[in-house]
Amino acid sequence: MPFAVTVDLVLLTIREDELQVLAVRRGEAPFRGRWALPGGFVREEEGLLEAAQRELAEETGLRE
């Protein structure tokens, strides 16, 4: 039976002595336009790390 696997990323930093978390606006339904953690589905040919890197790049433009 096929199943889906997803990755979600929590990126934290401290700026001006306050903890900050990266959130993105959802581009897809459901909840389009709402704030969410970056993430998405793992493709069949990739591992979890590759999926996390791809999703981060796709949703934020951030690259290594």
Side-chain angles (χ1 to χ4, degrees), residues 11-21:
L11 284 84
L12 303 169
T13 190
I14 297 176
R15 297 175 91 184
E16 299 178 9
D17 293 324
E18 290 191 14
L19 182 64
Q20 307 285 312
V21 62

Side-chain angles (χ1 to χ4, degrees), residues 9-58:
L9 297 102
V10 178
L11 284 84
L12 303 169
T13 190
I14 297 176
R15 297 175 91 184
E16 299 178 9
D17 293 324
E18 290 191 14
L19 182 64
Q20 307 285 312
V21 62
L22 176 68
V24 297
R25 293 260 186 197
R26 286 187 53 90
E28 307 275 332
F31 309 113
R32 179 176 294 173
R34 297 269 183 98
W35 291 107
L37 295 173
F41 290 100
V42 177
R43 295 177 181 162
E44 200 170 307
E45 71 279 357
E46 67 187 357
L48 296 176
L49 179 58
E50 291 84 10
Q53 291 171 329
R54 176 183 52 77
E55 285 293 338
L56 183 63
E58 286 177 4

